[in-house]
PDB file of all heavy atoms in Angstrom:
ATOM      1  N   ASP A 248      67.971  87.603 142.852  1.00 88.00           N
ATOM      2  CA  ASP A 248      68.994  86.565 142.649  1.00 88.00           C
ATOM      3  C   ASP A 248      68.364  85.173 142.566  1.00 88.00           C
ATOM      4  O   ASP A 248      68.819  84.316 141.784  1.00 88.00           O
ATOM      5  CB  ASP A 248      70.011  86.604 143.790  1.00 88.00           C
ATOM      6  CG  ASP A 248      70.810  87.910 143.804  1.00 88.00           C
ATOM      7  OD1 ASP A 248      70.886  88.560 142.740  1.00 88.00           O
ATOM      8  OD2 ASP A 248      71.343  88.269 144.873  1.00 88.00           O
ATOM      9  N   LEU A 249      67.326  84.935 143.349  1.00 89.00           N
ATOM     10  CA  LEU A 249      66.651  83.641 143.284  1.00 89.00           C
ATOM     11  C   LEU A 249      65.965  83.439 141.931  1.00 89.00           C
ATOM     12  O   LEU A 249      65.927  82.311 141.405  1.00 89.00           O
ATOM     13  CB  LEU A 249      65.633  83.536 144.412  1.00 89.00           C
ATOM     14  CG  LEU A 249      66.190  83.592 145.841  1.00 89.00           C
ATOM     15  CD1 LEU A 249      65.048  83.538 146.858  1.00 89.00           C
ATOM     16  CD2 LEU A 249      67.174  82.466 146.082  1.00 89.00           C
ATOM     17  N   VAL A 250      65.431  84.509 141.378  1.00 89.00           N
ATOM     18  CA  VAL A 250      64.795  84.415 140.054  1.00 89.00           C
ATOM     19  C   VAL A 250      65.842  84.096 138.999  1.00 89.00           C
ATOM     20  O   VAL A 250      65.610  83.305 138.070  1.00 89.00           O
ATOM     21  CB  VAL A 250      64.048  85.720 139.729  1.00 89.00           C
ATOM     22  CG1 VAL A 250      63.459  85.662 138.327  1.00 89.00           C
ATOM     23  CG2 VAL A 250      62.942  85.975 140.748  1.00 89.00           C
ATOM     24  N   VAL A 251      67.055  84.681 139.132  1.00 91.00           N
ATOM     25  CA  VAL A 251      68.132  84.385 138.185  1.00 91.00           C
ATOM     26  C   VAL A 251      68.515  82.907 138.253  1.00 91.00           C
ATOM     27  O   VAL A 251      68.725  82.245 137.217  1.00 91.00           O
ATOM     28  CB  VAL A 251      69.351  85.288 138.474  1.00 91.00           C
ATOM     29  CG1 VAL A 251      70.532  84.870 137.617  1.00 91.00           C
ATOM     30  CG2 VAL A 251      68.999  86.745 138.214  1.00 91.00           C
ATOM     31  N   GLU A 252      68.584  82.367 139.455  1.00 91.00           N
ATOM     32  CA  GLU A 252      68.917  80.940 139.581  1.00 91.00           C
ATOM     33  C   GLU A 252      67.828  80.057 138.982  1.00 91.00           C
ATOM     34  O   GLU A 252      68.133  79.017 138.368  1.00 91.00           O
ATOM     35  CB  GLU A 252      69.116  80.594 141.059  1.00 91.00           C
ATOM     36  CG  GLU A 252      70.391  81.179 141.669  1.00 91.00           C
ATOM     37  CD  GLU A 252      70.695  80.574 143.024  1.00 91.00           C
ATOM     38  OE1 GLU A 252      70.028  79.586 143.386  1.00 91.00           O
ATOM     39  OE2 GLU A 252      71.595  81.084 143.705  1.00 91.00           O
ATOM     40  N   GLN A 253      66.592  80.447 139.137  1.00 90.00           N
ATOM     41  CA  GLN A 253      65.509  79.655 138.530  1.00 90.00           C
ATOM     42  C   GLN A 253      65.576  79.719 137.010  1.00 90.00           C
ATOM     43  O   GLN A 253      65.291  78.730 136.331  1.00 90.00           O
ATOM     44  CB  GLN A 253      64.153  80.147 139.017  1.00 90.00           C
ATOM     45  CG  GLN A 253      63.001  79.266 138.557  1.00 90.00           C
ATOM     46  CD  GLN A 253      61.691  79.638 139.194  1.00 90.00           C
ATOM     47  OE1 GLN A 253      61.607  80.612 139.936  1.00 90.00           O
ATOM     48  NE2 GLN A 253      60.642  78.880 138.922  1.00 90.00           N
ATOM     49  N   ILE A 254      65.961  80.853 136.484  1.00 91.00           N
ATOM     50  CA  ILE A 254      66.117  80.956 135.027  1.00 91.00           C
ATOM     51  C   ILE A 254      67.220  80.015 134.550  1.00 91.00           C
ATOM     52  O   ILE A 254      67.073  79.298 133.551  1.00 91.00           O
ATOM     53  CB  ILE A 254      66.413  82.414 134.634  1.00 91.00           C
ATOM     54  CG1 ILE A 254      65.191  83.303 134.915  1.00 91.00           C
ATOM     55  CG2 ILE A 254      66.806  82.505 133.171  1.00 91.00           C
ATOM     56  CD1 ILE A 254      65.463  84.782 134.711  1.00 91.00           C
ATOM     57  N   ASN A 255      68.356  80.009 135.268  1.00 90.00           N
ATOM     58  CA  ASN A 255      69.458  79.126 134.879  1.00 90.00           C
ATOM     59  C   ASN A 255      69.059  77.659 134.979  1.00 90.00           C
ATOM     60  O   ASN A 255      69.423  76.836 134.109  1.00 90.00           O
ATOM     61  CB  ASN A 255      70.673  79.392 135.771  1.00 90.00           C
ATOM     62  CG  ASN A 255      71.236  80.794 135.568  1.00 90.00           C
ATOM     63  OD1 ASN A 255      71.101  81.384 134.486  1.00 90.00           O
ATOM     64  ND2 ASN A 255      71.868  81.340 136.596  1.00 90.00           N
ATOM     65  N   LEU A 256      68.329  77.302 136.022  1.00 90.00           N
ATOM     66  CA  LEU A 256      67.890  75.915 136.166  1.00 90.00           C
ATOM     67  C   LEU A 256      66.932  75.517 135.052  1.00 90.00           C
ATOM     68  O   LEU A 256      67.018  74.401 134.512  1.00 90.00           O
ATOM     69  CB  LEU A 256      67.236  75.739 137.533  1.00 90.00           C
ATOM     70  CG  LEU A 256      66.740  74.327 137.866  1.00 90.00           C
ATOM     71  CD1 LEU A 256      67.903  73.349 137.903  1.00 90.00           C
ATOM     72  CD2 LEU A 256      65.988  74.325 139.201  1.00 90.00           C
ATOM     73  N   SER A 257      66.004  76.406 134.692  1.00 90.00           N
ATOM     74  CA  SER A 257      65.058  76.100 133.611  1.00 90.00           C
ATOM     75  C   SER A 257      65.779  75.932 132.280  1.00 90.00           C
ATOM     76  O   SER A 257      65.456  75.022 131.499  1.00 90.00           O
ATOM     77  CB  SER A 257      64.010  77.220 133.513  1.00 90.00           C
ATOM     78  OG  SER A 257      63.283  77.335 134.714  1.00 90.00           O
ATOM     79  N   GLU A 258      66.733  76.772 132.009  1.00 89.00           N
ATOM     80  CA  GLU A 258      67.479  76.660 130.755  1.00 89.00           C
ATOM     81  C   GLU A 258      68.336  75.397 130.708  1.00 89.00           C
ATOM     82  O   GLU A 258      68.611  74.865 129.621  1.00 89.00           O
ATOM     83  CB  GLU A 258      68.358  77.896 130.579  1.00 89.00           C
ATOM     84  CG  GLU A 258      67.569  79.175 130.306  1.00 89.00           C
ATOM     85  CD  GLU A 258      68.471  80.380 130.169  1.00 89.00           C
ATOM     86  OE1 GLU A 258      69.657  80.286 130.555  1.00 89.00           O
ATOM     87  OE2 GLU A 258      67.992  81.421 129.665  1.00 89.00           O
ATOM     88  N   ARG A 259      68.765  74.900 131.851  1.00 89.00           N
ATOM     89  CA  ARG A 259      69.559  73.670 131.881  1.00 89.00           C
ATOM     90  C   ARG A 259      68.671  72.428 131.736  1.00 89.00           C
ATOM     91  O   ARG A 259      69.024  71.481 131.040  1.00 89.00           O
ATOM     92  CB  ARG A 259      70.339  73.595 133.195  1.00 89.00           C
ATOM     93  CG  ARG A 259      71.161  72.316 133.378  1.00 89.00           C
ATOM     94  CD  ARG A 259      71.923  72.351 134.674  1.00 89.00           C
ATOM     95  NE  ARG A 259      72.896  73.407 134.662  1.00 89.00           N
ATOM     96  CZ  ARG A 259      74.140  73.307 134.148  1.00 89.00           C
ATOM     97  NH1 ARG A 259      74.542  72.164 133.608  1.00 89.00           N
ATOM     98  NH2 ARG A 259      74.969  74.330 134.182  1.00 89.00           N
ATOM     99  N   LEU A 260      67.527  72.417 132.417  1.00 88.00           N
ATOM    100  CA  LEU A 260      66.689  71.222 132.422  1.00 88.00           C
ATOM    101  C   LEU A 260      65.860  71.060 131.159  1.00 88.00           C
ATOM    102  O   LEU A 260      65.456  69.938 130.830  1.00 88.00           O
ATOM    103  CB  LEU A 260      65.760  71.248 133.639  1.00 88.00           C
ATOM    104  CG  LEU A 260      66.435  71.167 135.003  1.00 88.00           C
ATOM    105  CD1 LEU A 260      65.385  71.224 136.107  1.00 88.00           C
ATOM    106  CD2 LEU A 260      67.274  69.905 135.134  1.00 88.00           C
TER     107      LEU A 260
END
Side-chain angles (χ1 to χ4, degrees):
D248 295 338
L249 298 177
V250 177
V251 173
E252 289 192 10
Q253 187 172 4
I254 293 173
N255 295 332
L256 181 63
S257 299
E258 291 179 345
R259 177 178 296 275
L260 295 179

